[in-house]
Amino acid sequence: MSTVIRPVRAGDGPGRARVWQEAGTFFAALEPGVLQEPQPDGLVEWHEDLYERTSADPATLMLVAETAGEIVGTAVARVHEPLPSARWQLQRDLAHRRVHVDALAVIGAARRNGVGAALMSEVERWAVEQGATVVTLETHLSNPTSMPFYEQRMGYSPREVVFRKELR
């Protein structure tokens, strides 16, 4: 069965909410003290509102992956412009237009079938079209599927670690 990657459109909220809810279940099982399942009440509306607020923004890309007419994955990415202070910064990337992937989620039944790779390939194509020189993203270190996916399948390199300490 082939997968179609297309921009998000009005009415995709139920499918995106289902993907997001399943991703939340997966992530909450990895580290329940830090990650959580999203509350289902209002989740569809939240996705529809997110689409409405960002659909006219040319610096934001929102995609879905459809298989047999069903949404099985979603991705959101944004263009970040060079910082005016880039010449004083330590990171070279801050002097360049770059794209950051805010979210990538694929339902369990569609994982390891090329859906995530197709979404990321479309993000990368769009990033080049936008004049970006680099794509960045975060993923959880304990995620047994995303670390090999990004490193081995998509060719990304880990560059930073985010530290966390609870103060309660």
Side-chain angles (χ1 to χ4, degrees), residues 37-132:
E37 293 183 50
Q39 293 293 316
D41 186 39
L43 189 57
V44 169
E45 294 79 10
W46 179 71
H47 278 283
E48 289 292 344
D49 181 59
L50 184 62
Y51 165 76
E52 288 298 321
R53 287 185 287 118
T54 59
S55 62
D57 180 2
T60 301
L61 176 68
M62 297 177 72
L63 299 170
V64 293
E66 279 185 329
T67 302
E70 179 183 345
I71 293 175
V72 295
T74 188
V76 178
R78 297 178 199 279
V79 172
H80 292 271
E81 297 297 338
L83 293 181
S85 64
R87 66 186 178 142
W88 301 295
Q89 297 291 339
L90 300 177
Q91 293 181 23
R92 290 182 183 271
D93 287 350
L94 300 179
H96 304 281
R97 181 177 267 206
R98 58 213 181 277
V99 165
H100 185 79
V101 179
D102 293 334
L104 173 70
V106 176
I107 63 168
R111 287 188 200 125
R112 295 193 169 104
N113 289 317
V115 174
L119 284 163
M120 285 301 296
S121 292
E122 183 60 19
V123 166
E124 291 172 2
R125 186 202 62 74
W126 178 78
V128 168
E129 191 177 274
Q130 301 306 306

